[in-house]
Each structure stands twice: as structure tokens, then as C-alpha cells.
Amino acid sequence: DTEVTQTPKHLVMGMTNKKSLKCEQHMGHRAMYWYKQKAKKPPELMFVYSYEKLSINESVPSRFSPECPNSSLLNLHLHALQPEDSALYLCASSQERRLNYGYTFGSGTRLTVV
Amino acid sequence: KQEVTQIPAALSVPEGENLVLNCSFTDSAIYNLQWFRQDPGKGLTSLLLIQSSQREQTSGRLNASLDKSSGRSTLYIAASQPGDSATYLCAVRENFNKFYFGSGTKLNVKP
């Protein structure tokens, strides 16, 4: 299995809703990432998990709450989002501490906040 | 801070043409450089990964080169096809968590 699987593919939520994005990989990668991508812009790093521990938070608002319950799964919990949070959310994974390896990305979740 | 630039921002070519996409980076202390393809509204598909010690990598009609000392990489696409139409992103890895993207080149191959 050489894929990163993200669900759902599309999500529409109201500003008072609580929802979660899910990311799963079975490649044995111990580093997992959340990126946010706005239209016509490159992906921007949000969070990095290393060995199931949060190692990087790029000053992301607290309405985004990441969780890594095990080495294969990464969640992003969403609460009280704003319309400007609408974007494509990408998950990625890589070999921890093997810097000669590249990143594997999922196909993303298209989030619309109404 | 590392800055990654991709030129041109957009490119339109007729089918069958060979083309080159450019990527430059400001800090040569990188571990590797990765080229991705992104279709509209989709995730990133890895095309080629070049280690800092390598000069080029090839996959099918794609060839990527790396000149680390000058901070440049090129992605060469031979005999372009309409199915190659997408946005192409390059990204450089400085360490475990530092992965810098360029802003991408949007390619349109006309039938």
C-alpha cells in the first residue's frame, strides 16, 4: 500500500458545526502532516506529527484541532470555522528521519464553510 | 528563509511539443527536491524525487535535473500530450519538517 487516503473528499459545513477530516496511511511512515491550500496557491503547512506527537503547529487557530490516535491515522477536528477557512486540506506522510525520502500526499478534502 | 520560485507561472503549448519548467531556490542546503503534479481540485501526485547528490532523474517522458550549487531545477516533458495539462509544483526539503513549495506552473497542452 503506497497511498495516503483522505476522507471525506468533499465537506460542506456551517459555521456552528463540528466535523472531522480523516487521513490514513499504511506505509509505516511515522511523520504525518496537514496542509491547507487555497485556490491558485501552493500548499501551506499547518501541523506536523512525529511518532504520534505534535511537533509543529504553524500558529494555526484553535478552531483546527489535530489528533494522531495511532501511527497510521491522522485526524483534523473542525469547530466554529469561518468562510475564509474554505480550502483544500491535504494530508501527507513521510519517513521520519529519512530525509532522502520524499512526501506522499493524499487526494485532499475540499472543505466549504457556509 | 528558503524561497522557491517557478517560472513561468503559466504555459500553453501545442500537443507534441517538448517543454521545460523551471524551479529555483535560494538556499542550496537541501536534502532533495520533488516535482509534483496537481490536477484542479485534486491532491498532489509525486512525479520525480531528486536527491541532493544526484544530477537528474527520469521517468517515462519526464526528466528532472538538479543543479544544487546554482539553486536550479528543471522538469523536461517530452512529446507533450493534452493529458499532461495540470499544475506542476516543485518543493525542496531542508530537513525533517521544512518542505518549501514553489507557486507552481500551470500547463495547458492544446490538442
Side-chain angles (χ1 to χ4, degrees):
Chain A
D1 188 351
T2 59
E3 290 186 346
V4 173
T5 302
Q6 289 187 245
T7 55
K9 294 193 182 305
H10 302 276
L11 178 63
V12 179
M13 62 184 290
M15 289 188 284
T16 59
N17 292 159
K18 287 185 181 181
K19 297 286 185 183
S20 296
L21 309 185
K22 179 180 172 182
C23 172
E24 199 164 3
Q25 57 88 16
H26 298 286
M27 295 178 281
H29 291 174
R30 302 307 294 271
M32 296 185 76
Y33 313 80
W34 280 114
Y35 282 83
K36 174 182 177 179
Q37 187 178 26
K38 301 284 279 185
K40 301 183 180 180
K41 298 289 187 182
E44 297 177 355
L45 183 65
M46 299 175 71
F47 302 104
V48 179
Y49 270 83
S50 172
Y51 289 89
E52 296 91 69
K53 292 190 185 332
L54 182 65
S55 62
I56 298 287
N57 177 342
E58 291 284 292
S59 302
V60 179
S62 60
R63 58 186 184 269
F64 294 91
S65 176
E67 179 196 22
C68 190
N70 60 58
S71 61
S72 299
L73 189 57
L74 184 66
N75 297 319
L76 185 62
H77 302 298
L78 314 172
H79 174 55
L81 295 192
Q82 303 296 311
E84 59 264 28
D85 295 321
S86 298
L88 181 67
Y89 288 83
L90 295 163
C91 174
S93 69
S94 70
Q95 291 276 9
E96 162 66 12
R97 296 177 188 153
R98 290 197 179 189
L99 297 174
N100 57 334
Y101 279 72
Y103 282 37
T104 302
F105 279 82
S107 56
T109 294
R110 171 68 62 188
L111 174 67
T112 303
V113 181
V114 297
Chain B
K1 180 185 173 183
Q2 179 78 263
E3 290 186 9
V4 183
T5 304
Q6 290 188 245
I7 295 173
L11 181 63
S12 184
V13 300
E15 182 178 3
E17 193 162 295
N18 302 327
L19 58 101
V20 175
L21 307 181
N22 297 291
C23 172
S24 62
F25 47 96
T26 54
D27 188 340
S28 61
I30 65 169
Y31 284 94
N32 57 48
L33 183 145
Q34 200 164 355
W35 282 94
F36 294 92
R37 168 188 172 137
Q38 187 172 32
D39 294 295
K42 304 294 185 183
L44 276 66
T45 300
S46 181
L47 298 173
L48 289 163
L49 172 68
I50 312 179
Q51 304 301 335
S52 61
S53 59
Q54 296 176 322
R55 297 285 290 182
E56 65 178 68
Q57 282 284 338
T58 298
S59 176
R61 295 182 293 108
L62 305 180
N63 176 278
S65 69
L66 175 63
D67 184 341
K68 198 175 86 159
S69 61
S70 68
R72 294 180 182 179
S73 176
T74 61
L75 179 66
Y76 175 82
I77 302 177
S80 58
Q81 303 170 357
D84 295 330
S85 298
T87 296
Y88 291 80
L89 293 155
C90 70
V92 298
R93 188 170 195 176
E94 285 192 345
N95 60 39
F96 145 65
N97 60 5
K98 293 297 185 183
F99 194 61
Y100 295 94
F101 281 93
S103 53
T105 294
K106 186 174 182 179
L107 173 65
N108 178 36
V109 180
K110 298 172 289 186

